[in-house]
Amino acid sequence: MFDLDEVTKDPDWAIRAQAFTELEALLVSTGGRVPWNRIAEGFVYQGKKIHFAGRAVGIFKPKQMSAALSVKTSRPRPGRASWYRDQGTDLDPPTGLLSYDLQQTAEHPSNRDLLRAYERRAPLIYLRAVEPSVYEAIWPVWIEAFNVSERRVLLAAADVLQGGVSSVQAGLPIEAEVREQSYSLVTNKHRNHQAWFSSRTKAAYGYRCAFSGLPLGSLLVGAHIKADKHGGPATVTNGICMSTLHHSAFDGYLIGVDPDLGIHVADRVIEARDGPLLKSLQTLEGKRLRMPVETSAHPNRKFLEWRFSKFQNANR
């Protein structure tokens, strides 16, 4: 996921790498919704305690590092108590990337800490308050644009299906059609909203596969129920967190999920005999999908009905 050249430009890389590993373990143990007191515990690096974030600051640089490690939002505003009820508020419409505000004073030390991370293309942790003193985390995120005059940065998330992060293209929008879910025109279309959709979905499911419970973030994707090309929205209620294996099986209609969250396995998979990997799919038959803690993040029944009908048609 990380470019070796970019890693070597970052003198803080060893601390960042451990921070990501420790954070993943913390999120899995808490189901993806982490109380501040657990975040405040930080982690130990070479015998010294490192903090993930600062309680009173949004942009945070540990004293042991030379550039920012994380950015954090405050508690949700009244009427916007959940990430999932407010899908696109923080997204920059022309690019589909996440907008994050800088400190008001351009020369503020926190802004300089973030600028160093931008110049090195160093990955960050993004902590969003989903309720008072409770956070969800997305990592890694990169600063794709640093705009001092507008006092904000644009953040891009990683998506293992794209093999990289989306980028801000000069002169956007290029397409004549104005879309809420924007695209950047390069050699191929890169769905800027896809990376954030995938990252949000993984966070909602506590960084565990909804089929198997696998907790390895590097092997997980946020997969659409109703595909983007069929008009499916980039919202968590149209997504399921799953491993790359289960995503391939889901896309190939080898496994399906009914509107009541029951898991179904295609007959040709049930009848096959070819080792333990195939058996792991076969044993899903009759089980139920693992759900996010936040009910507003549960899959939309209409999207499940649409997808399950596709599964049934493919297996007649």
Side-chain angles (χ1 to χ4, degrees), residues 106-230:
E107 293 303 314
H108 193 284
S110 293
N111 290 346
R112 292 199 298 269
D113 294 338
L114 206 56
L115 179 60
R116 290 191 196 98
Y118 168 63
E119 292 171 341
R120 298 170 184 172
R121 198 160 176 75
L124 304 167
I125 296 166
Y126 176 72
L127 295 167
R128 173 161 179 147
V130 292
E131 59 184 76
S133 298
V134 178
Y135 295 83
E136 288 182 342
I138 289 176
W139 85 101
V141 300
W142 284 263
I143 303 168
E144 287 284 355
F146 197 103
N147 195 318
V148 176
S149 62
E150 295 181 9
R151 295 195 299 272
R152 67 172 186 157
V153 298
L154 294 180
L155 302 172
D159 177 14
V160 298
L161 294 182
Q162 288 183 206
V165 298
S166 55
S167 60
V168 178
Q169 302 297 312
L172 281 174
I174 300 175
E175 294 177 297
E177 180 183 7
V178 177
R179 300 187 52 142
E180 180 180 350
Q181 296 175 342
S182 65
Y183 292 83
S184 300
L185 288 186
V186 285
T187 304
N188 298 304
K189 288 182 178 178
H190 288 272
R191 299 178 294 170
N192 290 338
H193 58 278
Q194 167 63 25
W196 279 109
F197 158 78
S198 181
S199 297
R200 288 178 172 190
T201 302
K202 288 185 286 186
Y205 282 78
Y207 294 91
R208 284 184 180 272
C209 173
F211 289 100
S212 66
L214 179 77
L216 297 178
S218 60
L219 296 178
L220 300 177
V221 298
H224 283 85
I225 300 170
K226 187 173 186 179
D228 182 74
K229 65 182 179 182
H230 294 299

Side-chain angles (χ1 to χ4, degrees), residues 14-15 18-19 22 40-52 62-65 69:
I15 299 178
Q18 185 166 335
E22 300 284 352
E41 292 173 359
F43 61 97
V44 177
Y45 173 77
Q46 294 186 350
K48 295 182 179 179
K49 183 176 181 179
I50 309 287
H51 290 281
F52 289 112
K63 61 183 180 181
Q64 296 90 346
M65 295 177 65
L69 172 64

Side-chain angles (χ1 to χ4, degrees), residues 74-95:
S74 59
R75 59 176 291 179
R77 296 188 294 275
R80 294 178 179 174
S82 169
W83 174 289
Y84 315 108
R85 300 186 190 105
D86 183 24
Q87 286 297 310
T89 299
D90 299 325
L91 294 181
D92 176 59
T95 63

